[in-house]
């Protein structure tokens, strides 16, 4: 199609898009606060309906674009339209499998894609930005064509030289603006935008402020809290920020007050160098923010000093729905992390079904006794702290993240004033639940008021170091920033009480006055280090925000501008943050046998059908007592007459409640248990009881005796006692209070056979509900159980069998030295003898060996006498060194 002379093709294309997008509803259900409320920016990600993927898509191992998972609404559609036009994103359609961030994609041309013309590339590249091409060249080309067709300057094109003397003016519509619309504020803003002020650094450094003071005491803080007049403006809050900067922030934000939201968002998408990073393979952008902050702090969150990678990391995620932060942490640590989530129970609730990257089974969403998840509520705060203390042996979490935000549409400038209780409660809860030496990160917005400054000051005195940090993944034009606090100090209880008192004032909601001060201004100003740090941070972030806003204005004004660094920055950032450049993948739901074949191959089929060796007590001399030190045993509820479906066997967890049990070579689905994906264990489902007689209650519990895979971690080659230790950790992180329709999962403690069994597994007479007296066994009671659903009552079960697991591999066997009283390993081929600390790996039974050699003994109806007999036999043998 021939273009009319003077028409700029770039603008024309955009206009068509804009015409289309103008048909989209204006009142998107996501209100947006571009000027500072990143929650709403992130909340764009919350719209994915649960049934977003068709069953077919779910079955497939579909690799999908991030857009698809973050929930597409009109706003994102708009952004994507712009991205497709300008090739700043990979340009995949939602249903396509995409390879993200291929640099070559920048140049590709698709049906709905527009590549840059060579003209633009050659002539308009400046500081990574493309400027609108001047029209002179096109006009002169058109002029040549017209001249060839007989056009003479100053004459019309009609037969008699009649008609207009000037070319038709280019189609100049910007976004959805009317043709005649002139937006002077925008034009003015464009002249102020200085691209050279933009600092684009992948390796952002955290600037720490080191605290040299101890936490303030109750006495010191007496009379610090003050109430004052309620405010609804921040224009005069210049105590902690340069006056001009504050004014410019407010002015730059107001450019967009009357501006079309869609147009502004598209300009924001085009202008932000970090925009196309999006959520990578996580459910939202927030997850990547946490990844960036973790890296910026040398992974102090996910790899805290002093915590070995095989020991569970305890964390809390507060104001946290839908849970991207936690998904990131769980992706890094897998099941070796226990998360406590707390967020409002509403449309932004946790979306555990979206935790594709990090398994959610060890994540415990909690909503407090009010069941509303409101962090302002005092009872909720205390209950969350109790829960965490109970499960962390009174220590608290290694770190807490908080990312609270809510809509302040139309009141963007006073977001800080509206969010003060959120600021306060997030900090307060951190002081209540983070362990000594632990860390905290929380989202904040503007920090101009004495109230906010006082809160930061108090936090700075409760930790060794603090930093106010804006990650690259937080859009430059908003006022979002994060307070990062490193290494909590002891003796902070008075500060907790101070903040609790402040929260009570805020909860009171006195309409006339407001809480305006936590720390007196003189104290804040007198502390030079603190005062300068905050002021410099406000000024620096303020300038960054102003420049970001002006840049968006320039991109609104000139729709040909493209931030061409987006693709390379994305690649560099992912590399720097140690995130693989992968797409988000919906887990494949395959059959257990197929999945196991894929991950374990023939190793699994070799052992899967092996039945245990069943013995009678009379066989003990030639089996488990020869020698007894080779064996560990588990008191089981097994008996010969038990149906095969209930017998101890292999269980395979494929994530959440997709759990299967192997019965006669076939996998059967089991309901009511949750296990992380790729968990393969040898376990027994046991009926557990609490209380006696009429009050007796029963629940089902899966006791894990041994494990091959724990949440995709292959532990099969470890020594059996080491596997036991990991099983113990696994059950601890997995534990959460459940109702009785869900089975608990516990470690099946293995005992040494050479110890006195009457001491290791004491049996106690118990009266059952039907009045019968039976011998019961009380397994170790975990300290993390809660006073919930009677979980605080000691639990027991009725043993009727014993499972023996061999932990050493022939020709090695284990014996007890008479002289030292220590166990030693003896090699019957070489006659080598070594103590446990020198044992060679060849002496250790791996999972397959222990599983194949397992022995099972039925002791029904005569538990005590069988156990006594076995005890006598083992004691008679365990000290005797083997004969050659
Ligand atoms: C930006 S979102 C958090 C995003 C989250 N970090 C993630 O990674 O997915 C803000 C969250 O704060 C929550 N929130 C706001 N006010 C709250 C309150 N008073 N108590 C608890 N949660 C609150 C919102 O419901 C929302 O889930």
């Amino acid at each position: 199609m021939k273009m009319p002379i003077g028409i700029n093709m770039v603008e024309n294309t955009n206009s068509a898009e804009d015409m289309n997008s103008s048909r989209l509803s204006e009142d998107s259900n996501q209100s947006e606060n571009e000027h500072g409320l990143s929650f709403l920016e992130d909340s764009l990600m919350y719209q994915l309906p649960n049934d977003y993927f068709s069953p077919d898509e779910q079955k497939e191992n579909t690799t999908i674009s991030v857009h698809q998972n973050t929930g597409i609404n009109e706003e994102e559609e708009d952004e994507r339209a712009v991205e497709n036009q300008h090739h700043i994103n990979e340009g995949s359609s939602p249903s396509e499998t995409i390879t993200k961030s291929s640099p070559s994609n920048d140049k590709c041309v698709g049906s709905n894609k527009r590549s840059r013309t060579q003209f633009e590339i050659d002539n308009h590249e400046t500081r990574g930005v493309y400027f609108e091409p001047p029209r002179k060249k096109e006009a002169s080309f058109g002029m040549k064509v017209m001249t060839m067709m007989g056009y003479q300057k100053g004459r019309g094109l009609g037969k008699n030289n009649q008609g207009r003397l000037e070319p038709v003016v280019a189609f100049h519509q910007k976004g959805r603006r009317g043709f005649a619309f002139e937006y002077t504020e925008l034009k003015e803003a464009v002249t102020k935008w200085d691209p050279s002020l933009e600092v684009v650094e992948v390796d952002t450094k955290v600037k720490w402020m080191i605290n040299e003071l101890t936490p303030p005491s109750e006495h010191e803080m007496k009379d610090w809290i003050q109430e004052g007049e309620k405010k609804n403006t921040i224009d005069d809050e210049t105590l902690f920020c340069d006056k001009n900067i504050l004014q410019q922030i407010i002015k730059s934000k107001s450019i967009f007050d009357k501006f079309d939201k869609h147009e502004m968002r598209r300009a924001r998408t085009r202008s932000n160098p970090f925009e196309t990073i999006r959520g990578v393979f996580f459910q939202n952008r927030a997850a990547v923010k946490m990844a960036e902050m973790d890296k910026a702090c040398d992974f102090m969150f996910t790899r805290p000093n002093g915590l070995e990678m095989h020991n569970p990391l305890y964390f809390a995620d507060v104001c946290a729905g839908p849970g991207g932060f936690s998904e990131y942490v769980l992706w890094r640590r897998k099941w070796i992390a226990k998360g406590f989530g707390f967020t409002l129970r509403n449309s932004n609730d946790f979306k555990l079904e979206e935790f594709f990257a990090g398994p959610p089974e060890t994540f415990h969403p909690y909503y407090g006794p009010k069941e509303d998840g409101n962090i302002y509520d005092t009872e909720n705060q205390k209950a969350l702290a109790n829960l965490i203390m109970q499960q962390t042996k009174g220590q608290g979490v290694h770190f807490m993240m908080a990312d609270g935000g809510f809509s302040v549409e139309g009141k963007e400038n006073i977001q800080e004033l509206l969010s003060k209780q959120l600021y306060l409660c997030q900090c307060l809860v951190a002081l209540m639940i983070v362990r000594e030496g632990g860390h905290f990160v929380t989202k904040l917005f503007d920090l101009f008021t004495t109230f906010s400054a006082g809160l930061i000051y108090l936090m700075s005195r409760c930790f060794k170091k603090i930093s106010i940090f804006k990650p690259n993944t937080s859009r430059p034009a908003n006022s979002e920033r994060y307070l990062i606090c490193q290494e909590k100090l002891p003796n902070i209880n008075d500060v907790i009480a101070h903040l609790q008192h402040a929260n009570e004032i805020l909860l009171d909601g006195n309409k006339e006055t407001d809480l305006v001060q936590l720390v007196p201004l003189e104290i804040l100003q007198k502390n030079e280090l603190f005062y300068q740090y905050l002021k410099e941070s406000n000024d620096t972030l303020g300038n960054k925000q102003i420049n970001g806003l002006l840049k968006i204005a320039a991109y609104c004004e000139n729709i040909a501008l493209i931030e061409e660094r987006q693709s390379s920055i994305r690649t560099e950032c992912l590399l720097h943050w140690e995130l693989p450049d992968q797409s988000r993948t919906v887990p494949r739901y395959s059959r257990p046998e197929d999945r196991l074949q894929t991950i374990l191959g023939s190793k699994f089929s070799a052992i899967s059908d092996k039945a245990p060796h069943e013995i009678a007590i009379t066989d003990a001399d030639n089996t488990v007592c020869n020698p007894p030190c080779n064996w560990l045993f588990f008191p089981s509820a097994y008996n010969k007459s038990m149906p095969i479906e209930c017998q101890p066997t292999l269980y395979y967890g494929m994530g959440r409640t997709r759990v299967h049990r192997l019965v006669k070579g076939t996998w059967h689905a089991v309901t009511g248990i949750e296990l992380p994906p790729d968990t393969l264990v040898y376990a027994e489902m046991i009926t557990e009881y609490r209380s006696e007689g009429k009050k007796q209650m029963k629940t089902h519990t899966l006791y894990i005796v041994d494990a091959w895979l724990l949440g995709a971690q292959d532990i099969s080659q470890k020594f059996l006692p080491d596997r036991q230790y990991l099983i113990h950790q696994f059950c601890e992180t997995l534990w959460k209070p459940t109702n009785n329709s869900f089975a608990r999962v516990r470690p099946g403690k293995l005992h040494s056979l050479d110890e006195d069994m009457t001491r290791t597994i004491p049996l106690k007479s118990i009266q059952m509900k039907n009045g019968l007296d039976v011998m019961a066994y009380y397994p170790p009671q975990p300290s993390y159980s809660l006073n919930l659903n009677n979980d605080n009552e000691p639990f027991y079960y009725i043993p009727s069998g014993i499972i023996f697991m061999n932990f050493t591999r022939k020709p090695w066997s284990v014996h007890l030295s008479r002289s030292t009283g220590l166990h030693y390993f003896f090699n019957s081929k070489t006659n080598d003898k070594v103590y446990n600390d020198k044992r060679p790996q060849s002496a250790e039974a791996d999972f397959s060996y222990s599983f194949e050699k397992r022995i099972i003994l039925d002791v029904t109806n005569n538990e005590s006498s069988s156990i006594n007999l076995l005890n006598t036999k083992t004691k008679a043998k365990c000290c005797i060194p083997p004969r050659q």
Side-chain angles (χ1 to χ4, degrees):
M1 195 183 87
K2 282 182 191 162
M3 285 293 159
I5 294 163
I7 287 187
N8 177 312
M9 290 176 69
V10 179
E11 291 197 9
N12 201 18
T13 316
N14 281 334
S15 302
E17 281 291 335
D18 287 342
M19 301 284 253
N20 284 338
S21 60
S22 70
R23 283 196 291 274
L24 296 168
S25 151
E26 281 289 323
D27 44 340
S28 146
N29 55 7
Q30 282 299 325
S31 55
E32 159 79 344
N33 167 14
E34 161 57 24
H35 308 148
L37 186 57
S38 65
F39 150 54
L40 287 169
E41 293 175 355
D42 289 336
S43 74
L44 299 177
M45 312 297 180
Y46 309 151
Q47 300 305 305
L48 183 67
N50 288 345
D51 57 352
Y52 190 82
F53 300 108
S54 69
D56 283 345
E57 279 173 307
Q58 295 200 16
K59 265 184 232 143
E60 294 302 317
N61 188 14
T62 322
T63 308
I64 51 174
S65 87
V66 261
H67 303 302
Q68 204 175 19
N69 292 282
T70 51
I72 298 170
N73 57 20
E74 290 163 7
E75 176 176 310
E76 285 204 319
E77 289 283 17
D78 269 9
E79 289 185 359
R80 292 170 61 204
V82 174
E83 285 161 10
N84 281 339
Q85 282 172 356
H86 294 280
H87 288 254
I88 53 176
N89 196 12
E90 287 65 43
S92 49
S93 81
S95 57
E96 278 172 352
T97 296
I98 61 165
T99 309
K100 296 187 70 57
S101 206
S102 155
S104 60
N105 282 351
D106 278 358
K107 304 278 183 263
C108 73
V109 184
S111 55
N112 60 345
K113 298 167 181 173
R114 175 197 156 272
S115 61
R116 278 188 274 120
T117 62
Q118 196 55 43
F119 178 82
E120 288 168 76
I121 295 167
D122 291 343
N123 297 287
H124 308 291
E125 197 168 335
T126 316
R127 289 186 295 259
V129 165
Y130 286 94
F131 288 98
E132 186 179 7
R135 306 207 168 95
K136 216 173 97 202
K137 278 199 175 181
E138 287 182 33
S140 57
F141 169 77
M143 201 56 79
K144 272 189 209 158
V145 177
M146 295 223 334
T147 309
M148 275 163 55
M149 293 169 78
Y151 167 72
Q152 288 176 7
K153 203 173 176 197
R155 294 184 180 190
L157 288 170
K159 192 176 169 189
N160 301 314
N161 295 337
Q162 82 279 19
R164 63 181 298 158
L165 300 181
E166 292 302 321
V168 177
V169 177
F171 187 55
H172 270 293
Q173 191 189 9
K174 306 254 174 61
R176 299 176 188 185
R177 284 176 257 170
F179 291 111
F181 184 80
E182 279 295 329
Y183 200 60
T184 43
E185 285 96 332
L186 205 60
K187 285 203 168 359
E188 205 184 309
V190 174
T191 60
K192 289 186 191 155
W193 174 50
D194 179 355
S196 70
L197 295 180
E198 186 181 31
V199 181
V200 178
E201 274 175 345
V202 170
D203 184 3
T204 36
K205 295 277 182 268
V206 176
K207 195 174 168 219
W208 294 106
M209 191 200 96
I210 298 167
N211 167 37
E212 276 157 9
L213 302 172
T214 50
S217 65
E218 185 188 353
H219 175 72
E220 193 182 344
M221 291 184 288
K222 197 168 159 280
D223 304 328
W224 276 14
I225 285 182
Q226 249 186 41
E227 293 180 56
E229 202 188 320
K230 246 195 174 133
K231 284 191 70 182
N232 56 10
T233 168
I234 53 148
D235 307 30
D236 55 348
E237 295 288 352
T238 54
L239 287 165
F240 302 97
C241 179
D242 181 277
K243 194 175 162 193
N244 287 334
I245 294 176
L246 178 63
Q247 276 169 4
Q248 278 185 65
I249 296 174
I250 295 169
K251 201 169 167 211
S252 311
K253 284 179 183 179
S254 64
I255 300 169
F256 300 99
D257 281 353
K258 290 173 277 169
F259 205 71
D260 176 71
K261 278 184 207 158
H262 293 283
E263 207 178 323
M264 189 273 289
R265 283 180 203 132
R266 277 177 292 162
R268 183 186 65 191
T269 302
R270 282 164 34 233
S271 66
N272 177 9
F274 299 89
E275 190 69 27
T276 53
I277 295 168
R278 290 207 159 81
V280 201
F281 48 89
F282 299 108
Q283 62 177 293
N284 61 19
R285 287 160 33 96
V288 186
K289 266 184 219 170
M290 196 54 219
E292 182 183 354
M293 291 192 281
D294 195 20
K295 167 71 189 186
C297 297
D298 280 333
F299 295 106
M300 75 173 193
F301 295 109
T302 54
R303 293 176 209 156
N305 280 343
L307 181 78
E308 293 187 46
M309 286 306 275
H310 62 260
N311 284 330
L313 171 76
Y314 288 94
F315 69 94
D317 196 2
V318 172
C319 299
F325 275 16
S326 291
E327 192 192 9
Y328 162 71
V329 177
L330 292 164
W331 171 74
R332 280 254 179 252
R333 302 281 307 201
K334 306 288 180 287
W335 66 266
I336 313 168
K338 171 81 188 180
F340 301 91
F342 196 88
T343 201
L344 282 179
R345 238 194 223 284
N346 60 15
S347 56
N348 291 329
D349 203 343
F350 292 114
K351 283 193 178 158
L352 299 191
E353 69 282 2
E354 293 292 322
F355 281 46
F356 296 160
E361 292 80 8
T362 57
F363 183 72
H364 179 182
Y366 181 64
Y367 302 92
K370 303 251 166 83
E371 286 289 332
D372 59 0
N374 186 0
I375 202 64
Y376 298 171
D377 188 282
T378 315
E379 293 310 310
N380 281 347
Q381 293 166 0
K382 287 184 185 157
L384 177 65
N386 280 344
L387 170 81
I388 288 173
M389 289 305 163
Q390 194 143 16
Q391 288 202 46
T392 56
K393 301 176 184 88
Q395 288 193 293
V397 288
H398 289 100
F399 74 98
M400 169 177 147
M401 309 172 281
D403 198 25
F406 51 84
S407 171
V408 290
E409 199 183 7
K411 296 179 186 162
E412 291 81 10
N413 281 338
I414 56 163
Q415 183 170 26
E416 179 183 356
L417 302 179
L418 299 173
S419 308
K420 62 164 57 164
Q421 194 167 10
L422 198 56
Y423 286 16
L424 178 97
C425 291
Q426 292 177 123
C427 291
L428 166 59
V429 170
L431 295 181
M432 292 166 78
I433 66 171
V434 171
R435 67 179 58 190
E436 214 179 293
H439 317 307
F440 171 51
V441 54
T442 183
K443 176 160 75 191
L444 299 170
F445 306 102
D446 291 330
L447 295 173
F448 300 140
T449 61
T450 310
F451 174 89
S452 302
L455 184 62
I456 308 282
Y457 174 80
L458 288 172
M459 294 307 280
S460 78
R461 289 196 52 187
C462 293
F463 285 82
K464 262 195 184 158
K465 291 177 187 175
I466 65 147
S467 170
I468 298 167
F469 180 71
K470 183 166 178 80
N472 281 321
T473 34
S474 169
R475 291 184 171 120
N478 66 33
S479 50
E480 175 184 273
R481 65 209 63 192
Y482 286 83
L483 170 70
I484 305 177
C485 304
Q486 195 183 76
E487 281 191 57
K488 198 178 99 171
L489 298 173
N491 309 321
I492 46 101
N493 282 346
D494 289 355
V495 182
I496 293 179
H498 188 75
L499 296 185
Q500 277 170 336
H501 176 46
N503 191 39
E504 274 155 27
I505 296 172
L506 289 170
L507 284 170
D508 234 7
N510 183 334
K511 296 286 178 295
E512 302 306 315
T513 60
D514 194 9
L515 178 66
V516 293
Q517 173 186 299
L518 293 167
V519 180
L521 183 61
E522 315 79 78
I523 291 180
L524 300 176
Q525 287 178 327
K526 220 166 75 191
N527 188 324
E528 192 65 18
L529 181 71
F530 170 80
Y531 180 68
Q532 285 308 331
Y533 183 91
L534 183 59
K535 197 163 177 308
E536 199 185 308
S537 162
N538 276 338
D539 291 349
T540 312
L541 293 181
N543 278 326
K544 184 173 181 163
Q545 189 178 1
I546 295 161
N547 207 47
L549 287 161
L550 294 177
K551 187 176 181 187
I552 294 176
Y555 274 62
C556 281
E557 184 56 14
N558 186 345
I559 51 183
L561 293 179
I562 297 170
E563 178 48 88
E564 74 141 14
R565 295 167 291 184
Q566 284 179 331
S567 178
S568 60
I569 283 180
R570 182 182 194 279
T571 309
E572 277 177 56
C573 284
L574 296 188
L575 200 66
H576 182 63
W577 303 333
E578 301 181 29
L579 293 180
D581 193 352
Q582 286 167 1
S583 302
R584 190 158 155 76
T585 307
V586 183
R588 177 198 276 270
Y589 301 146
S590 43
R591 297 184 312 160
E593 53 271 42
D594 296 340
R595 175 75 188 147
L596 284 168
Q597 183 60 35
T598 310
I599 56 175
L600 301 178
S602 54
K603 281 189 286 177
F604 177 68
S605 32
I607 67 137
S608 59
D609 267 344
K610 296 267 172 7
H613 177 44
E614 275 197 51
I615 58 163
I617 191 75
T618 45
D619 303 324
D621 289 329
N622 300 325
T623 53
V624 293
C625 294
N626 191 21
C629 304
N630 272 356
W631 298 90
L632 299 175
F633 77 94
F634 170 68
S636 154
Y638 166 82
N639 62 66
K640 274 188 186 146
S641 51
M642 135 195 277
I644 188 154
E645 300 78 41
C646 305
Q647 292 182 9
T649 184
L650 291 172
Y651 282 75
Y652 181 46
M654 302 180 78
R656 310 293 304 273
T657 52
R658 290 188 305 280
V659 177
H660 294 80
R661 167 167 53 199
L662 193 65
V663 180
K664 286 193 177 162
T666 307
W667 288 102
H668 295 264
V670 190
T671 52
I673 321 180
E674 196 174 82
L675 289 174
D678 290 332
T679 295
L680 180 61
V681 293
Y682 175 53
E684 180 176 352
M685 187 66 83
I686 292 182
T687 305
E688 247 180 22
Y689 299 92
R690 286 185 170 78
S691 304
E692 283 186 62
K694 294 255 177 309
K695 289 192 197 146
Q696 192 185 46
M697 286 165 302
K698 62 179 180 184
T699 47
H700 296 290
T701 299
L702 187 71
Y703 278 84
I704 301 180
V705 179
D706 199 359
W708 186 329
L709 299 170
L710 291 179
Q713 185 191 3
D714 188 340
I715 64 162
S716 63
Q717 299 307 306
K718 294 185 186 292
F719 192 33
L720 181 54
D722 296 340
R723 298 203 295 274
Q724 275 274 299
Y725 174 76
L726 290 171
I727 291 167
H728 188 89
Q729 306 278 42
F730 179 76
C731 295
E732 191 166 330
T733 57
L734 213 57
W735 192 86
K736 38 189 144 171
T738 48
N739 59 32
N740 284 349
S741 57
F742 259 79
R744 283 143 183 82
V745 181
R746 299 194 199 281
K749 178 154 172 59
L750 295 178
H751 304 271
S752 268
L753 199 50
D754 60 358
E755 283 176 41
D756 185 351
M757 292 172 82
T758 55
R759 269 197 305 113
T760 50
I761 53 159
L763 299 180
K764 190 178 161 200
S765 176
I766 284 289
Q767 192 184 58
M768 301 294 279
K769 211 168 200 162
N770 60 9
L772 277 180
D773 285 337
V774 294
M775 297 307 282
Y777 164 61
Y778 285 77
Q781 311 281 311
S783 57
Y784 46 80
S785 16
L786 253 197
N787 185 8
L788 197 87
N789 298 331
N790 287 305
D791 267 9
N792 61 332
E793 287 279 320
F795 55 87
Y796 59 91
Y797 62 83
I798 319 302
S800 50
I802 296 179
I803 297 174
F804 300 91
M805 302 294 287
N806 194 332
F807 72 97
T808 188
R809 187 187 269 276
K810 278 186 175 160
W812 292 91
S813 52
V814 181
H815 310 272
L816 196 66
S817 159
R818 278 180 198 274
S819 52
T820 64
L822 295 173
H823 284 114
Y824 65 92
F825 283 70
F826 172 75
N827 186 323
S828 62
K829 280 200 177 144
T830 61
N831 284 345
D832 281 347
K833 283 181 191 169
V834 288
Y835 281 117
N836 189 27
D837 57 340
K838 296 270 179 343
R839 70 168 189 271
Q841 210 189 343
S842 57
E844 298 176 357
D846 63 10
F847 175 83
S848 301
Y849 193 91
S850 300
F851 180 76
E852 282 175 31
K853 301 274 180 241
R854 74 198 187 280
I855 289 177
I856 206 156
L857 168 69
D858 181 353
V859 292
T860 328
N861 299 330
N862 56 357
E863 296 93 350
S864 300
S865 55
S866 299
I867 285 172
N868 285 339
L869 186 56
L870 190 62
N871 213 18
T872 318
K873 285 173 185 286
T874 56
K875 294 296 115 11
K877 280 209 165 187
C878 72
C879 298
I880 303 169
R883 297 236 167 90
Q884 298 301 310

